[in-house]
Amino acid sequence: MRQCAAEATVPIIPPEVYNFDANTIPKNVKITKAEALELYETMVLIRRMETEIASLYKEKKVFGFCHLYAGSEAVGTGIVANMKPVDNLITSYRCHAFAMMFQNRQQKDGPFSVMAELAGRAGGLSAGKGGSMHVFVPPHFYGGQGIVGGQVPLGIGMGFAHKYSDDGGVAFPLYGDGASNQGQVYESFNLAALLKLPVVFVCENNLYGMGTAAKRSSASTEYHKAGRFMPGIKADGMDIITTREISRIAADYSRSGNGPIVVQFQCYRYYGHSMSDPGTSYRTREEVQHVRQTRDPLNLFKAVLIEAKLASEDEIEAINKKAKKVCAEAKDAAAAAPSPDPADLYTHVYVKYLEQPRRRTVIG
């Protein structure tokens, strides 16, 4: 039986930088066996959960819109793996993976609570009242937003709160290539840079917006340069080691008082824009299959684990089987959960204001 290593040094895929010191980005990073297996397990759990969500949708147990994240698991996993307990994150409607990860960080049943919410059940994250596009995990995940790009100004509000309270936190507003040309995104860039807010803007460039390719809707797809007066990094979003390291570097930069930075992760989505979109009118099935076979983040990292002797085939298979079982059971439990009590129509409507007034100060 082959002996596995407790730690290994693995390469990251060299990124492109804009007004940023490339020498601060290492070529290799160390990772322990425990860290590596946790990253792999998280990505597998996301993939399996979304497979079950797709099944629930086809069974007509999930209503409305449903936007899946499959293919982009390395981006979300890499970002969340580096977040400090004080950091905050907000994203678009492609949000199920993040909700699950933040629930699991709180030792809660992430897959069940996400699927129950999508099915409109009482055990869901928002008590079954928000659905696919509105899931929240207080106090650090501010949810998925249904308005394209609308989460970005909310994200800099989170950054302002970090600076105001001087708590050392960083805000991560995530948006896609489809939202990258929204006016509110550029307004957010300006204000964040003006106030030097601790914000890491993350553009998840999955190459396609709603029905068209990014290159057909953007005069420039170099989204990491869009801030002009902010530094930027463009990195491979299909490689979990790269996303984890670049997320850490960007957060450390912003956390150190340097102000905001833009990170563009090049990733992909296997499903259409939403479950109602077959996703084949603006790209070919052959293209999707090619990415699955050659660039899948789970398969790529599995190969790294085996090559670096951080895991055996048996250990990887055990993780896969566990994730499949957990998510299948969560799906059945979510489908069988009760509907919200009618009295819940009157809950979560108002919130008490601050009990004591706080002295306002000016941020220079």
Side-chain angles (χ1 to χ4, degrees):
M1 183 175 181
R2 190 180 72 166
Q3 184 69 33
C4 288
E7 183 180 86
T9 299
V10 296
I12 71 167
I13 298 174
E16 296 179 27
V17 299
Y18 172 73
N19 291 337
F20 191 81
D21 185 3
N23 294 320
T24 62
I25 302 175
K27 293 181 174 58
N28 302 286
V29 295
K30 287 185 177 180
I31 185 169
T32 66
K33 177 184 176 72
E35 291 171 336
L37 292 183
E38 184 176 0
L39 292 175
Y40 182 76
E41 183 174 9
T42 299
M43 289 198 293
V44 171
L45 203 55
I46 293 170
R47 178 71 59 85
R48 289 304 315 176
M49 180 184 74
E50 294 226 313
T51 299
E52 298 294 359
I53 289 172
S55 179
L56 280 172
Y57 187 92
K58 293 172 184 176
E59 293 170 11
K60 301 186 184 304
K61 294 176 181 175
V62 171
F63 302 97
F65 292 103
C66 182
H67 306 79
L68 300 181
Y69 199 60
S72 303
E73 292 90 348
V75 177
T77 302
I79 293 171
V80 174
N82 278 303
M83 289 180 65
K84 306 289 186 186
V86 72
D87 294 343
N88 293 322
L89 187 146
I90 188 168
T91 188
S92 69
Y93 37 70
R94 215 173 296 281
C95 53
H96 313 140
F98 294 94
M100 187 272 290
M101 287 187 283
F102 277 87
Q103 279 286 87
N104 284 354
R105 288 179 78 176
Q106 297 180 14
Q107 306 300 313
K108 298 177 181 177
D109 189 344
F112 166 75
S113 59
V114 171
M115 284 190 266
E117 183 59 37
L118 270 62
R121 303 296 178 171
L125 287 166
S126 300
K129 298 189 290 185
S132 174
M133 300 172 75
H134 302 94
V135 293
F136 302 84
V137 182
H140 298 297
F141 177 53
Y142 280 69
Q145 307 297 311
I147 303 301
V148 177
Q151 70 275 16
V152 180
L154 297 176
I156 68 165
M158 290 154 44
F160 184 91
H162 285 310
K163 185 161 186 175
Y164 183 88
S165 59
D166 193 27
D167 61 9
V170 170
F172 291 85
L174 277 62
Y175 58 99
D177 50 279
S180 62
N181 297 315
Q182 290 284 325
Q184 57 200 335
V185 173
Y186 288 93
E187 292 174 31
S188 299
F189 285 171
N190 179 69
L191 188 57
L194 187 66
L195 299 180
K196 295 190 71 173
L197 300 180
V199 175
V200 177
F201 294 101
V202 179
C203 176
E204 295 182 283
N205 180 9
N206 62 28
L207 306 184
Y208 295 97
M210 187 170 65
T212 193
K215 62 185 179 182
R216 296 187 63 193
S217 62
S218 296
S220 171
T221 57
E222 298 292 276
Y223 302 117
H224 62 299
K225 299 178 181 178
R228 298 172 312 187
F229 34 73
M230 290 186 291
I233 304 174
K234 177 183 177 182
D236 191 326
M238 305 296 271
D239 183 86
I240 181 61
I241 298 299
T242 300
T243 63
R244 190 184 77 142
E245 185 64 13
I246 295 303
S247 298
R248 180 194 64 77
I249 290 170
D252 288 349
Y253 171 88
S254 191
R255 203 186 305 277
S256 300
N258 296 305
I261 183 172
V262 182
V263 175
Q264 175 184 186
F265 283 124
Q266 299 290 103
C267 51
Y268 201 78
R269 59 170 168 79
Y270 294 153
Y271 291 92
H273 175 73
S274 69
M275 286 296 290
S276 59
D277 167 27
T280 54
S281 61
Y282 46 86
R283 62 181 182 179
T284 65
R285 288 183 173 85
E286 289 75 21
E287 177 189 304
V288 179
Q289 189 63 22
H290 177 73
V291 175
R292 281 183 177 273
Q293 291 175 348
T294 63
R295 299 284 299 139
D296 183 78
L298 277 65
N299 292 338
L300 289 175
F301 194 45
K302 174 183 175 180
V304 169
L305 293 174
I306 299 296
E307 177 66 24
K309 298 182 180 179
L310 287 168
S312 66
E313 290 278 4
D314 288 343
E315 287 175 306
I316 291 172
E317 184 59 27
I319 290 173
N320 294 338
K321 288 182 177 179
K322 177 184 176 182
K324 184 176 182 179
K325 181 175 183 292
V326 166
C327 292
E329 290 176 351
K331 176 199 170 187
D332 292 342
S339 297
D341 190 300
D344 282 338
L345 282 171
Y346 305 98
T347 60
H348 305 119
V349 179
Y350 298 103
V351 63
K352 289 184 179 180
Y353 195 62
L354 296 172
E355 284 77 7
Q356 297 181 355
R358 295 174 61 182
R359 180 171 175 267
R360 293 173 180 261
T361 58
V362 176
I363 295 180

